[in-house]
Amino acid sequence: MSGNKSGKLSYGMVIDVDKCTGCMTCAVACQQENNVPFREDETNKVRSITWLEVFYLDNGKSYPDHRKAYLPRPCLQCDADPYPPCTFVCPVNATQRDEETGLVSHIPVRCIGCRYCISACSYHARYFNWWDPKWPKPMEEMLTPEVSTRMRGVVEKCTFCVHRLQLAKDKAFAEGRRELDDGEYVPACVEACPAKAMVFGNLSDSHSEVAKLAKSPKAFRLLERLGTKPKVIYLSGQEWIHKLADNVI
Amino acid sequence: MKLDRRAFVKLIAGGVGGTLLSPLPWKMADDTAIWSQNWFWRPSPERGGATTVNTVCQLCPGGCGIRVRLIEDKNAVRIDGNPSHPVNQGGICPLGASGLQYLYGPSRIETPLKQTGQRGDVTTLKPISWDEALEILATKLRGMRQKARGLVCVSGKRQGTVSELFARFLRAYGSPNYMLMPAAADAESLGMLFSQGQSRLPGYDLENAKMIVSFGSSYIEGWGTPARMLLAFGNWRKNAESDQVKIVQVETRGSLSGSKADDWVAVAPGTEAAFALGLAQVIISEGRYDRAFVNQYSHGFDEFRRLLQRNYTPEKVTAITEVPKEKITALAREFAQAKPAVALSGWGQGRMQGSIYDFLAVQSLNALVGSLHKPGGVTRTPSVPLAPWPEVVLDAMSLEGEKEPRLDGASEFQPPLPANLFYNFVKNVNEGKPYRAQMLWVYEANPAHDLADVKPFIEALSKIETVVSFSSFMDETTQLADLVLPGPTYLERLEDVATPPGLQYAVFGLSKPVLMPRFAAIHPGDILIQLAKSLGGGVASSFPWSDYETALKERVQGLAERGSGRVADEPGVEPWKGGQGNTLASNYDSFDDLWEKLGEHGCWFDTSAAMPSWDSAFKTPSGKFEFYSQKMRQIGIRGNDLTYLPHFEQVEPAGDPNEYPLLLMPYETLIITNGPLANSPFMTKMLFDFELKGDDCFVEINGKTAADLGLKEGDRVALQTERGSLEARVHLTGAARPDVVFIPTGLGHSGFDSYIRGKGVNANAILVAQQEKVTGLATWWGTRVKIYKV
Amino acid sequence: MTGENKQQNSGLLGWALFVVGFAGALFVGWIVFPQLLYSTKYQPINYNHAIHQEEAGMSCEDCHFFREDGTYAGKPKLAACAECHSEPQGETEDEAKLVSEYVEPEKEIPWISYSRQPDNVFFSHAAHVKMAEMDCTDCHRDVEGQTKAPPVKINRLTGYPNEVMKMYVCEDCHAQENVSNACDVCHK
């Protein structure tokens, strides 16, 4: 069923769209955590880098039946068998799914910037650095040392904050543990969400909250028909949101 | 022997062979590849040991607990929510999460500045030393002491000891002119006085409510304490469908708060209060009100009932609000049945003062269903038992000042209202009455951009001799200042954070310097203490402390002496669960212990203050909740019966409908910050390209209106009101009511940094604020506008 | 004949030149190139491991330890030095320098790392030392009894010291030990 071979660990995320208030804290926390560059004009959304992007949805109806919702979209960490679309096309092996964790990594220093993966991704989750990142003078001090900065000409994307997994493992190893406890590894977006609309954990562990939520009748995945098997699962009780998820984004 | 071609080739061949057998080519290839990964201009973040320090956010009055992650104890690399803090429980808002962009931001002011040229010219704001800056200010203050009333202070921070020090300084100096930036709290405290006899702010027990009806409050877009509201929303949505808290949003625009509610009631512009009265009418006429409360603890119910019967039957309310009467009836029944249910007031983020009657209408709904001072209802924000400072020492000149009228006329207003009438102040300064404002201090506020209907204020500034800004950032007001005394940012200074607005339990936060100040900034509290000392006399005696820390500690002593409450040192505390009036085991044993733990964890909270019983809650002349306000009469407000009853009185939007056929309504969102700050680059980046495109911001209009005007998506239009005109682009959406133009506030900055400067337009420049007749409080929810393609 | 002779002579010369070229290139490649490629840097203070171990009785962990969060503090902070060296203990020049240039002005010592990995590498000491039970000297120079801090050879092209472990070494060992070689195990 899953492309992830170990079957023991499969990190995934459940985002409750009905609980999401559209506050965008997840996106801001992500940018801060992952040294995502920012420019004076970020309104050309094709060239703006947002590892976690927030999609705007509405039911298309007119006043006063109009309803909108926001849908946070990190990298969906596709579990497609045998490869996620992006890693399949990479000519230099710069992106790869870690079969022990299910995480789809992207190593910018290895990337040659061909952007093949960008066209392969169905979710616009990958971004190209059209410019060298620049931080106005003292802002370099706020860069997270656990995430390397990128450069012009390479692709980057959400990694589910894999450096947090590395740090969590470091701590566990130092304490003589091989296994991580629940909640020891949580991406920045999930941690920051003030409405607690995002849940993160091991989808392979049937006792985990994510695994339970993923089985909810309200659950859906984006563009499910493509068979990309995203490990980011959305919840909503709204039919129009389910419909949009399948067809439009 | 001759070196011929063949020999030369052999030499080269040997060289090539030797080279290939040496590490040179392979090493070069490898190293070049590594070299290509390290462009030297690409920053390499400093590595080292990471620590996490707890403190309290001060970017808005919410006072969320935050954790700052530091590398090598000096580089702050992340701000996230502190899970132990009861208000935000580990959550955070976009503003709080981008706090480091303010700390390290390019618009920080490094040294005191003095305007050496024309006011408003930023290039002639020259750096001066702190000694010089304080000397300039002290000299001026000494010189104008005889006319001390000419000193005005505008604070954007309504609570906390630093604001109190500013107020204290003015009083000791002899000026009655301590002003606050306008907010819904102005109407709330007056409304609480009129209906319950005490000027306290409402505290909502939202976490325990079963149904929430919000009358225009952007409950998930910045109303109250943002992170607390977002957390509460998540909890309301946690239960199974059948058991979910019902949320109803009564609002003209299809906001996120409306979309995320179970029901969005799209009322005609400005008619939320009429809708509330319509609900009240149904609840009363169908006998669904809380009899125990109404019969024993309310006053003027009959008058209220008669008024409703006369003016607010479903038919009449339908005519006003354009909401079908079936919906009014159904919602009223549901509200009366869902116990406990609570109604929220305060337009948008609560930054508009609004009408006192709007507040009273909504509160009367809460009263009718017995939700006052009950779990799941609305009570008042408990006070924190801080020790008082010694009385201000009044000398001859400050005694003189005590007698002076305030520049906003609050004390000369007939009857005197304990109100903050900012727009009267602006008007009076412009008219030069009753006396001249000589010096303006601006603290934690940016009125030159942030004040709705900003133009008269900017005009007023030109009538004031000296403007002093205490801002850490180059905001629009600071650009217009003559003297700038930049304070340290919230991550570099010690300060208390009072119980945030709308909370039902007591919280006291302590924000502390988590890293060395980046510049030699002086804490505003310390500036005041130093100034007071250099002025001598009663002013100096009123500031007996050596520094701000001593002054703050003196107040915190009160907490330690009371010995109640706990320092929030463990995750998962939910102070609303045990109910209010529930004494917690305290976890500190002395002042020193408390101070140390406050520093470590950032927050003290207490649930021991019970919600007052209905017997003791109301300090009105009748001793009851007053639907018909005897308190207003007692204060001396004269009028007819209507004056004392909650009613709907629409303020006609400014502008001739023939000339300005459409209505312009501002709206606020969480991703565009209002208040003293401008958006961080991270936040601006998240705006959709139908909100901001290039330097153009968008106004929302309905497709039908667009068709009428011949406009297409993205067309650039001019918006013209009585006050002036702005240019923006149009975004066509079903969220907009036909014939209404919705404009976001918080954009159009001319100050701050290049990441926000010049992006969009400042809606405040063309809004017209209007004052309520009885109270003088201002509303600006709507202004007549015409738009045309440019 | 003369023509042939000439040709032979020239052939010999040619081969001699070949050898010269070959040997020269080997010399340049093996001896000169490494000299040129690396710059030599000296530590700001010539730290004497031996004296600290033997005379002060310190253990390795006093300076090289795991932080509470499991990360590894490779080099000690100045505060650790200042605990003993608020005033010179002995008479060496280096110690005098330590006290006057670093301890007194409270300036961190700019130690040069012998094995600083690139920004994009996450190396877990905990995984290797605690889990795989490797010795420090499997990767690092044995400092026991060392009285001098050796100079650091820095690659002029890459900017990294010559002792920095290369990726193939990591990969080989991971493969041998059956540890994941997924990119994100080590890269960030």
Side-chain angles (χ1 to χ4, degrees), chain C residues 166-179:
Chain C
K166 306 288 292 245
M167 182 162 124
Y168 70 89
V169 184
C170 308
E171 284 179 308
D172 286 352
C173 189
H174 271 221
Q176 256 171 39
E177 300 292 328
N178 206 14
V179 178

Side-chain angles (χ1 to χ4, degrees), chain B residues 534-586:
Chain B
S534 75
L535 288 179
V539 190
S541 321
S542 299
F543 286 76
W545 315 282
S546 56
D547 55 13
Y548 170 69
E549 183 171 347
T550 319
L552 176 59
K553 278 182 162 171
E554 197 174 306
R555 300 218 59 193
V556 180
Q557 289 278 4
L559 274 190
E561 275 159 31
R562 178 72 68 88
S564 65
R566 285 176 70 78
V567 174
D569 61 354
E570 56 190 349
V573 284
E574 295 177 316
W576 54 88
K577 279 233 166 111
Q580 304 308 307
N582 168 27
T583 306
L584 305 161
S586 88

Side-chain angles (χ1 to χ4, degrees), chain B residues 150-459:
Chain B
L151 175 64
V152 184
C153 176
V154 174
S155 169
K157 217 175 209 178
R158 303 180 80 88
Q159 303 185 74
T161 54
V162 178
S163 305
E164 285 170 25
L165 281 178
F166 273 99
R168 185 181 178 91
F169 188 95
L170 263 74
R171 182 141 185 258
Y173 183 72
S175 166
N177 292 309
Y178 176 71
M179 310 272 165
L180 296 168
M181 283 294 281
D186 293 325
E188 287 167 357
S189 60
L190 264 190
M192 291 286 274
L193 177 71
F194 293 167
S195 59
Q196 301 195 28
Q198 275 182 309
S199 281
R200 297 277 293 273
L201 292 178
Y204 296 91
D205 193 19
L206 297 169
E207 287 79 1
N208 292 315
K210 278 258 157 47
M211 180 172 182
I212 287 113
V213 182
S214 148
F215 291 89
S217 306
S218 302
Y219 65 94
I220 48 169
E221 292 161 285
W223 180 91
T225 296
R228 179 244 183 160
M229 293 307 298
L230 299 173
L231 175 71
F233 179 81
N235 284 331
W236 293 334
R237 288 286 179 253
K238 201 161 67 182
N239 299 341
E241 223 95 317
S242 54
D243 190 27
Q244 255 184 13
V245 173
K246 168 122 186 183
I247 313 165
V248 179
Q249 176 75 358
V250 184
E251 191 184 2
T252 306
R253 177 176 171 264
S255 65
L256 257 179
S257 297
S259 279
K260 288 287 166 181
D262 297 282
D263 200 355
W264 164 36
V265 182
V267 290
T271 62
E272 285 89 351
F275 189 77
L277 294 168
L279 295 183
Q281 199 279 335
V282 175
I283 290 171
I284 293 176
S285 69
E286 295 190 357
R288 293 176 189 274
Y289 56 87
D290 186 314
R291 277 164 213 278
F293 178 80
V294 168
N295 294 344
Q296 260 179 288
Y297 299 100
S298 82
H299 170 82
F301 177 72
D302 288 332
E303 288 89 337
F304 185 48
R305 185 170 51 81
R306 279 199 296 274
L307 174 70
L308 293 175
Q309 199 59 47
R310 198 165 61 238
N311 293 345
Y312 303 103
T313 55
E315 292 74 23
K316 289 188 171 162
V317 170
T318 296
I320 302 170
T321 62
E322 297 173 31
V323 177
K325 63 177 193 229
E326 298 73 31
K327 194 155 189 174
I328 301 170
T329 316
L331 201 57
R333 288 176 187 159
E334 212 174 335
F335 188 71
Q337 253 154 30
K339 287 189 187 300
V342 66
L344 311 183
S345 68
W347 182 87
Q349 296 183 336
R351 295 160 25 78
M352 183 176 86
Q353 289 183 317
S355 158
I356 186 79
Y357 295 108
D358 288 5
F359 175 77
L360 291 175
V362 174
Q363 279 307 307
S364 65
L365 256 187
N366 283 324
L368 280 180
V369 297
S371 284
L372 294 183
H373 309 296
K374 290 287 170 201
V378 52
T379 179
R380 51 200 185 206
T381 302
S383 52
V384 175
L386 296 178
W389 281 322
E391 273 297 305
V392 175
V393 181
L394 296 172
D395 55 22
M397 277 168 284
S398 39
L399 278 170
E400 204 57 39
E402 291 270 279
K403 292 184 215 138
E404 294 287 348
R406 272 167 64 95
L407 271 171
D408 66 353
S411 58
E412 108 190 314
F413 211 87
Q414 270 317 315
L417 293 174
N420 173 48
L421 306 174
F422 202 89
Y423 289 86
N424 276 356
F425 156 69
V426 173
K427 209 186 311 169
N428 288 343
V429 170
N430 276 326
E431 290 168 10
K433 60 174 204 189
Y435 50 84
R436 241 160 46 89
Q438 223 174 330
M439 183 189 281
L440 175 70
W441 287 3
V442 185
Y443 168 66
E444 290 281 332
N446 183 17
H449 178 275
D450 189 40
L451 190 71
D453 201 354
V454 69
K455 283 187 177 164
F457 175 77
I458 296 193
E459 197 189 320

